[in-house]
Amino acid sequence: MKKVLVANRGAAAARVIRAVEALGLQAVVVYSEADAQLPYVEQAREAYCIGPASARDSYLNQDALLACMQRSGADAVHPGYGFLSENARFAQRVEAAGHCFIGPSPKWIELLGNKTRAREFMRSHGLALGDSSGVLPADDLRAVSEAAQRLGYPVLIKPAGGGGGIGMVPVLAPADLEGAWRRASGLAEKAFGDPSLYLERFVQSPRHIEFQFIADRHGKVMSLFERDCSTQRRYQKVIEEAPAPDIGRATILDMSVRLEKLLGAAGYDVIGTVEMLYTPETGFSFLEVNTRLQVEHAVTEAVTGLDIVQAQIRLAAGEPLASVVAAKPALGGHAIEARIYAEDPVRFFPSPGTLLEFSLPADMAGIRVETGYTQGNAVTSHYDPMVAKMISHGRDREEAIRRLAGALEATRIQGIKTNIPMISRVLASEKFRREGMTVDGLHKVLAEPQAGTQKITSREKEMT
């Protein structure tokens, strides 16, 4: 492996470029017409425009990406996260052309990247699952309605071929099903190029815990502990942290070891995350597998000291796990990540625009910033609205919270609205500081009347 095509954009592309070049390899990037001015395009030695702004015509265009590999002489492709990162057909085409796909083998993406097949696989290996349907016919609303009735309301509509919370729509009553189904199908098609959907019984107040794994192509799998991703808005993760607070370490480690053995016995390879729901009453139940690098991987990097993206590249190239990671890292301190989105922090409407000021405190102690933008860039409505990720690391959770809150306070963004005031409110809340958040916890925090409301409104005005 000498040259890697980075089949992504923005912060994801910038992160992969950094890992590729740290390994002494050459990075090639692609960009849409809308992204021509983003800084990652200048980071790489080679850059190719692959189409107009629409993701379908650019970052989801497999033919254009394969043509770029041939033109540039790249012998590997890193898909980042989102877009084609869990598209088995793309991984197969990359390998058929004689290149390395830097991710799990296509058979694993085909099996586990599809959420309904993953559930059957995990069920067969003894994991507890919540109730769900199989993939349902997109145009057969009668079959969809019958499946919902069998599960019992409320239900959750989920895309079969993608993740990240995109396309997930809760349905509380039968009258809402048809409109929600059509809306979710359109979102899944736009984001993943696959409109397939299924239904899941809606669990209203669980914790969302995910377990990170890396593996070689020789049967060895290593768990890199867990992340708590329970702070969500509309099933989009907003804050992630490691280790998970307020759950016994023995409970966490038992599940971690169990999953490590399961994936090792099955022969899983390269990288993946097993996502679980947890309640104290029922324990863990399987949710899905993400057969790719996660947006929140930096949280695990902070507490383990391991560069997960470099490890992913080396493992995909065939190196044994023992040479990539000599021994399993120990947990060191606590890390929290906040996703900064271009959106109104009160009404949550998208807020595209030009970054008239974009100052992020990357030099503060214990703070790491990942972004795909710089001052003067336009944040468009064509892609995910995340403009930056801010990761804090401290000796304990209290210090990590304090550092993240301080860094957010020092951030200066003008030209768009962001969700920073909302994140700051969560970090200051007693619920977040003293209790384990549940997936509906953010809604509850924001519903609480408090003296800080005026401060948040003022902060919102300052940043717009």
Side-chain angles (χ1 to χ4, degrees), residues 1 12 49 67 124 135 219 223-224 244 277 283 378 388 391 435 440 447:
M1 189 186 297
C49 182
S124 71
V135 173
S223 165
L224 296 177
L277 296 180
I391 304 97
E435 303 175 22
D440 57 349

Side-chain angles (χ1 to χ4, degrees), residues 113-143:
N114 181 284
K115 309 310 178 188
T116 55
R117 285 194 288 269
R119 292 174 66 83
E120 290 307 311
F121 176 82
M122 291 299 185
R123 190 194 305 275
S124 71
H125 284 78
L127 284 189
L129 279 73
D131 294 335
S132 70
S133 69
V135 173
L136 294 162
D139 56 352
D140 190 346
L141 289 170
R142 180 176 179 178

Side-chain angles (χ1 to χ4, degrees), residues 310-346:
Q310 287 189 41
Q312 178 187 6
I313 295 168
R314 294 174 63 186
L315 292 165
E319 288 192 48
L321 184 59
S323 71
V324 176
V325 186
K328 183 171 181 174
L331 279 173
H334 198 95
I336 307 177
E337 174 181 283
R339 301 190 188 194
I340 301 175
Y341 290 111
E343 64 182 16
D344 184 304
V346 177

